[in-house]
Amino acid sequence: MSSAWDYYLTSVLVFFAIDTSAGLALNLQFGIAGIYNFGFVVFQAIGAYVAGVTTIGPPVPGLQESYILGARLPFPIPWLAGAAAAALVSLPVGLACLRRLRGDYQAMVLLVFALLATTVATDATGLFNGASGIYGIPQPFVSLGLSRAGYNWAYFGVAALIAFVVYLGAQRISFSPLGRVLRSIRDNESAAAAVGIGVYRARVKVFVLGGAVAGLSGAVMVSYIGAWSPGSWAYAETFVLLSALVVGGSGNNNGAVLGTFLLPVLVTQVIGLIPLSTADVDVVSSLEWVLIAAVTLFCLWLWPQGALPDSRRIRKILLPARSAVTGEPQS
Amino acid sequence: MRTRSADAGLVVTTAEGAGAPGQPASALALVGVSAGYGRIPIVHDVSIEIRRGQIVALVGSNGSGKSTLMKSVIGLLPALSGTILLAGLDVTAAQPEARVARGLGYVPQVNDVFNRLDVRENLEMGAYRMRRGQVAGRIDEILEAFPTLKPLIRRNARQLSGGQRKLVAIARVLMTSPSMLLLDEPTAGLAPQLAEEILTTQVAVLAELGCGVLLVEQRVAEAFRVADHAYVLVNGHIYLGGRPAEVIETPGFDRLMLGLDLAVPAPGPSAAPGPGQESAG
Amino acid sequence: MSTLLSGVGFGLLTAALLALAAVGFTVQFGITNLFNLAYAQFMLVAAYVGYTLTNAGVDVWVALPIAALAVGALSVAVNRFVYMPFVSRGRALFSMVLVTVSVGLAVEYLIEVFAGAGAQQILMNPGSTWSAGGLVLTTSQIIIVVIAAIAMALFHLLLRHTRLGKAMRATSSDVSLARACGIPAARVRDVAWFISGVMCGAAGVVLGINVSFDPTTGSSYLVPIAAAAVLGGIGRPHGAMLGALVVGVGSEVFAAITTPSYKDVIAFGVLLVVMLVRPQGILPGSLRTDVVEP
Ligand SMILES: Nc1ncnc2c1ncn2[C@@H]1O[C@H](COP(=O)(O)OP(=O)(O)OP(=O)(O)O)[C@@H](O)[C@H]1O
Ligand SMILES: [Mg+2]
């Protein structure tokens, strides 16, 4: 195995591990609790930014950079800070968005929130250095003195360990009483609404928990790639993860893992392997998004429950009072 | 199932005027109709025929499927099996708007007015299929028949009381002078006096003018007083059918009205009285 | 003072754009009970059609209606051949959000494939400048404001005084009841989507005249559009007109006296506050029961 190939493979594995954590977190919110969190990527971005600025140190005078918090903290702290910051922001957002409103209304507000966050991060240059973002973020394990591929393997090990822990946690929540409550909301929102404040609390809880994991995944990402800017986290990035859940089977943690492997990893990499002249690169990367959108529509049409359906899905009994809506599809 | 459809063919030919002289034509015939909200039927194998000028009462306990049957007759729910004939014409697959165009009128049990329209606009929507020039005149006529609506004409339907809404809904369905009327608990929420008046004057007069009426009612006594024929629906099955006076005298009628099956199954002929039986009578 | 007035001037222009856009958005919600989150991308299609036409030498006032009609047709087609099939296939209401976002994303990146990622602007002769005590507008900007005002007036007349308009309101109020009254709901829905698509398209061309745009511009416009529609009570066209005026003028005035880049923050603030305090919008009247859980 050539070392270039080794390097390529390991970097794909690192991305897969990071996406898996993120996918599992989103699965908790979307797949199990039924929250269309179109703002998911914002929480990843917060984690990434905070981890970045607490690793990189204060802005170098004369470089025309400005960002908050500039500090140089030792390894695990920036990651934890990223996760904590994302959780901190998701609390008010969750409290505001998950109240009373019907699901698609929430989805719209969260999407709008994601769009706005990009604008703010770009325009508020004092926050995270605006459109240029932060870059040159030191990598955490360089002191180990590994080869490039060796470093990747080590990094993959760490990211995979995190993903595994997230998986265990997600499984645990998924089959806990909380998971049952959340599923019942997802499958029968109007009846669950009658349950009242407990339901609201349960949803805010997974929203914040998911936000923390999102932040952590962003932190792991930024420490690996070393730079972060508004271009790294367009609202569409959330969509890839949502599509992954739809394809893999939302509500099922194994489905979430499968989905993140199939969509963000496999499809992207396969397309990346197509030899292209530079002129075509933009077109192909645009078409990649079109392809993901098309795959999502296709799967929603044919297999809305995904490759690995959630076995605990509660059959919909109460249907929306609309003549055109005939009810939940057969599994 | 198939044989029932064949029966239907016979019914149609007799109903379309070619049959017995003096027999009013069929306004609506249901032949073995099953309906429900997904693929599982809630009403099963219902066969009812209503002739022009006839009032047929349909009673049954809460949840027995009366409203479900009405929705499938108007076409808001698909019939899962069976045939629906409107004035002899098969409309089983037709859209609701097509059925309305053929003279069917429907007053739903709930959500019976357009909340965001005022009373006058509600009435205009009832006349959606009428020629534009005639609408204003028809509204005036209707207001003569429902004088209580006159002062409310510009009021938003959302602001009306339950009884007023019901009146608007009834007035709206009468805008086009339908030839077959489906009334799902038209007197629910009305004062007893008004309810009585609606049933004995409005509905009865309509029938005298040749309209067929399928009437779902909780007020069994009042409904049976005006009805020519009555059916009892239990758990989605027609259990009893006949002249109202006979139906109400049938032993176990009270139990059926509570949604309880009779200990002994109802005798064969009345278990599912087909239209054939009725036209023979 | 003069910055404030210039803010009002540009605010009127923004309000004109938002009014067209938000009314279309709210009508689509009202008639089909779904948030068309691809709406902003439809707007952008119109901007690109307008841009292409004016580049080919077509006068901008001719290009505007052509682009608007094209997007009207596009939205009917998308509703009929994508959204409605999903709805009647029985997908729960909530996964429709995913469907509309998918469509929006596909449109956004298809635009990028065909038009490239670079920024464009519809160039036109702005005409002479008119000023009234610090409030400065060009002739073309005045024309835009007038067009939007006329469009709103016509739409109001349609809704209040024509049978079609009343049928649209009835269908939006209760589809089943509308059908039971003999209203051909599917056709009414198509007409409503066409009209709203035309407004969306007109707004898109105005966007292309006002600012330079690239394929991602559309999505950022969803913020003020949603704010205006929600402020007026989602599904209520008159509310959306009012909401557009408040959000448009408010955000531009705010931008004029503070930092221009934060006008969307105002819009989002409006959205959040309304959602938390008065989800039925600012107009009197009850809320759509289906927006807020019981
Ligand atoms: N929208 C719906 N989706 C699924 N099931 C429904 C729906 N509406 C009613 N049902 C079920 O259909 C059955 C029959 O209901 P229906 O409304 O037809 O009864 P009904 O005889 O009209 O009762 P009532 O006297 O209370 O009006 C009930 O078991 C009810 O739970
Ligand atoms: Mg009923």
Side-chain angles (χ1 to χ4, degrees):
Chain A
M1 200 189 285
S2 82
S3 88
W5 172 246
D6 202 16
Y7 177 74
Y8 167 77
L9 183 73
T10 47
S11 64
V12 170
L13 283 175
V14 170
F15 287 128
F16 175 45
I18 295 172
D19 282 343
T20 301
S21 299
L24 286 165
L26 187 59
N27 187 42
L28 206 56
Q29 299 178 335
F30 165 72
I32 292 168
I35 305 166
Y36 276 84
N37 186 4
F38 279 110
F40 187 81
V41 74
V42 177
F43 302 102
Q44 287 187 287
I46 291 170
Y49 276 128
V50 169
V53 295
T54 51
T55 311
I56 196 172
V60 180
L63 263 185
Q64 305 257 314
E65 291 179 328
S66 59
Y67 44 81
I68 56 166
L69 290 176
R72 200 171 283 128
L73 301 174
F75 158 61
I77 298 177
W79 287 11
L80 299 177
L88 211 63
V89 176
S90 41
L91 181 63
V93 174
L95 286 173
C97 290
L98 301 179
R99 245 182 92 214
R100 298 194 297 165
L101 296 164
R102 99 182 188 187
D104 53 350
Y105 203 121
Q106 290 168 357
M108 181 183 73
V109 175
L110 286 164
L111 176 60
V112 164
F113 168 70
L115 296 169
L116 180 86
T118 314
T119 314
V120 170
T122 311
D123 292 342
T125 46
L127 201 56
F128 297 115
N129 203 30
S132 334
I134 47 175
Y135 42 87
I137 299 162
Q139 297 194 317
F141 313 121
V142 274
S143 55
L144 298 179
L146 298 163
S147 68
R148 285 206 324 160
Y151 182 86
N152 270 356
W153 279 113
Y155 208 95
F156 169 66
V158 174
L161 184 68
I162 291 175
F164 185 62
V165 171
V166 170
Y167 175 83
L168 291 182
Q171 281 292 72
R172 202 181 170 119
I173 292 174
S174 182
F175 297 110
S176 72
L178 178 68
R180 221 171 6 254
V181 170
L182 293 170
R183 277 197 176 79
S184 73
I185 311 168
R186 176 197 65 191
D187 292 339
N188 189 351
E189 195 147 359
S190 52
V195 181
I197 194 76
V199 165
Y200 176 48
R201 282 228 189 99
R203 303 187 84 185
V204 172
K205 220 182 265 178
V206 286
F207 195 78
V208 173
L209 207 60
V213 177
L216 182 62
S217 73
V220 179
M221 179 70 96
V222 82
S223 291
Y224 183 70
I225 59 180
W228 197 253
S229 69
S232 327
W233 51 284
Y235 79 97
E237 302 288 342
T238 306
F239 184 80
V240 183
L241 286 180
L242 282 173
S243 305
L245 296 182
V246 168
V247 172
S250 67
N252 181 329
N253 290 315
N254 299 320
V257 177
L258 175 69
T260 34
F261 177 71
L262 289 178
L263 260 195
V265 178
L266 200 63
V267 169
T268 317
Q269 295 310 321
V270 165
I271 288 176
L273 289 178
I274 303 170
L276 291 169
S277 67
T278 42
D280 293 336
V281 168
D282 283 346
V283 170
V284 169
S285 78
S286 303
L287 284 177
E288 185 181 326
W289 286 106
V290 177
L291 176 73
I292 289 175
V295 166
T296 310
L297 286 176
F298 188 75
C299 289
L300 280 175
W301 183 259
L302 284 181
W303 310 286
Q305 314 221 323
L308 302 174
D310 178 3
S311 56
R312 303 215 166 178
R313 189 169 290 276
I314 298 157
R315 273 309 204 69
K316 202 154 213 153
I317 300 164
L318 285 181
L319 306 173
R322 286 159 54 82
S323 61
V325 178
T326 48
E328 187 82 341
Q330 273 64 43
S331 52
Chain B
M1 200 61 54
R2 295 257 177 263
T3 44
R4 283 202 183 282
S5 298
D7 284 352
L10 286 173
V11 174
V12 180
T13 41
T14 53
E16 271 193 331
Q23 267 271 18
S26 165
L28 175 74
L30 310 182
V31 188
V33 170
S34 301
Y37 299 83
R39 284 172 200 180
I40 305 145
I42 282 178
V43 293
H44 308 266
D45 198 17
V46 169
S47 298
I48 288 178
E49 189 187 26
I50 298 150
R51 299 184 169 279
R52 286 271 167 84
Q54 227 183 9
I55 300 176
V56 172
L58 179 65
V59 296
S61 68
N62 296 127
S64 56
K66 306 181 295 292
S67 298
T68 306
L69 181 64
M70 296 293 245
K71 285 182 214 163
S72 82
V73 175
I74 185 69
L76 291 173
L77 290 176
L80 299 172
S81 63
T83 312
I84 299 170
L85 301 159
L86 191 59
L89 196 91
D90 188 343
V91 294
T92 316
Q95 296 292 316
E97 41 269 38
R99 302 185 196 197
V100 172
R102 301 208 63 88
L104 192 59
Y106 170 56
V107 175
Q109 180 179 4
V110 289
N111 299 329
D112 47 0
V113 292
F114 295 108
N115 273 322
R116 277 180 273 172
L117 271 54
D118 67 23
V119 170
R120 188 181 181 88
E121 289 168 336
N122 263 282
L123 297 181
E124 287 173 14
M125 288 302 104
Y128 186 81
R129 304 221 152 243
M130 198 183 272
R131 283 232 231 98
R132 273 162 225 250
Q134 302 173 339
V135 176
R138 180 66 186 157
I139 288 180
D140 291 341
E141 287 173 25
I142 288 285
L143 288 179
E144 288 309 316
F146 294 85
T148 44
L149 291 183
K150 263 189 199 164
L152 304 174
I153 193 77
R154 277 298 168 201
R155 193 79 73 80
N156 223 304
R158 192 192 307 123
Q159 300 161 325
L160 301 180
S161 76
Q164 289 168 330
R165 294 157 68 94
K166 221 52 279 167
L167 281 186
V168 171
I170 295 169
R172 188 190 56 226
V173 81
L174 297 183
M175 283 291 292
T176 48
S177 324
S179 53
M180 176 64 218
L181 202 50
L182 307 169
L183 300 174
D184 197 347
E185 306 201 9
T187 69
L190 296 186
Q193 233 173 333
L194 187 56
E196 179 89 33
E197 189 191 316
I198 294 272
L199 289 180
T200 52
T201 51
Q202 300 289 352
V203 175
V205 166
L206 268 169
E208 268 162 40
L209 292 175
C211 180
V213 180
L214 179 57
L215 175 68
V216 169
E217 259 304 335
Q218 298 283 4
R219 301 172 196 269
V220 177
E222 287 87 341
F224 279 17
R225 210 170 304 144
V226 292
D228 302 295
H229 211 87
Y231 291 96
V232 183
L233 199 61
V234 181
N235 289 333
H237 294 272
I238 296 273
Y239 245 76
L240 265 181
R243 301 206 161 278
E246 296 163 15
V247 169
I248 209 163
E249 292 302 322
T250 308
F253 173 74
D254 291 346
R255 274 181 68 80
L256 290 179
M257 285 303 294
L258 292 173
L260 303 168
D261 289 4
L262 290 174
V264 189
S270 50
Q277 184 198 3
E278 211 200 314
S279 51
Chain C
M1 193 61 213
S2 74
T3 48
L4 193 79
L5 273 176
S6 78
V8 172
F10 205 67
L12 283 178
L13 195 60
T14 308
L17 189 164
L18 280 186
L20 288 166
V23 169
F25 183 71
T26 225
V27 164
Q28 294 183 350
F29 176 86
I31 205 90
T32 30
N33 202 13
L34 62 82
F35 289 101
N36 178 15
L37 296 179
Y39 190 80
Q41 278 82 11
F42 288 10
M43 253 169 90
L44 212 60
V45 170
Y48 275 95
V49 171
Y51 171 77
T52 311
L53 287 173
T54 48
N55 257 9
V58 179
D59 188 88
V60 71
W61 303 118
V62 179
L64 191 147
I66 295 177
L69 291 174
V71 171
L74 173 72
S75 37
V76 173
V78 168
N79 181 52
R80 215 195 214 175
F81 300 117
V82 184
Y83 296 166
M84 280 304 119
F86 270 102
V87 169
S88 30
R89 203 171 152 95
R91 292 293 165 268
L93 197 56
F94 300 164
S95 67
M96 286 309 294
V97 175
L98 217 47
V99 173
T100 64
V101 171
S102 299
V103 169
L105 209 65
V107 171
E108 182 170 326
Y109 283 95
L110 279 175
I111 291 177
E112 197 167 304
V113 169
F114 288 112
Q120 324 278 8
Q121 185 159 7
I122 299 178
L123 298 175
M124 61 179 298
N125 177 7
S128 40
T129 306
W130 304 81
S131 71
L135 200 156
V136 185
L137 285 173
T138 64
T139 306
S140 63
Q141 289 174 332
I142 292 174
I143 294 178
I144 287 171
V145 172
V146 170
I147 287 178
I150 292 176
M152 293 303 108
L154 286 179
F155 192 60
H156 166 81
L157 292 178
L158 172 79
L159 287 181
R160 291 284 155 195
H161 298 287
T162 68
R163 183 157 74 170
L164 175 65
K166 289 171 192 171
M168 279 166 58
R169 283 164 56 218
T171 307
S172 147
S173 185
D174 187 336
V175 189
S176 302
L177 186 57
R179 302 184 72 198
C181 284
I183 297 171
R187 208 177 319 146
V188 169
R189 195 187 292 129
D190 280 350
V191 173
W193 272 76
F194 182 73
I195 294 174
S196 59
V198 167
M199 285 196 259
C200 170
V205 176
V206 172
L207 179 157
I209 294 172
N210 279 358
V211 296
S212 78
F213 55 90
D214 63 54
T216 62
T217 308
S219 51
S220 68
Y221 268 82
L222 191 63
V223 182
I225 293 172
V230 169
L231 182 63
I234 188 72
R236 303 178 69 179
H238 292 89
M241 294 176 197
L242 187 65
L245 202 61
V246 173
V247 172
V249 175
S251 61
E252 293 297 345
V253 167
F254 179 79
I257 55 182
T258 60
T259 324
S261 38
Y262 289 156
K263 46 189 175 196
D264 278 354
V265 178
I266 281 295
F268 186 67
V270 165
L271 184 64
L272 268 191
V273 170
V274 172
M275 210 183 74
L276 288 177
V277 180
R278 218 182 135 73
Q280 70 270 43
I282 46 174
L283 289 185
S286 71
L287 42 95
R288 285 184 66 114
T289 49
D290 48 356
V291 173
V292 177
E293 288 158 17

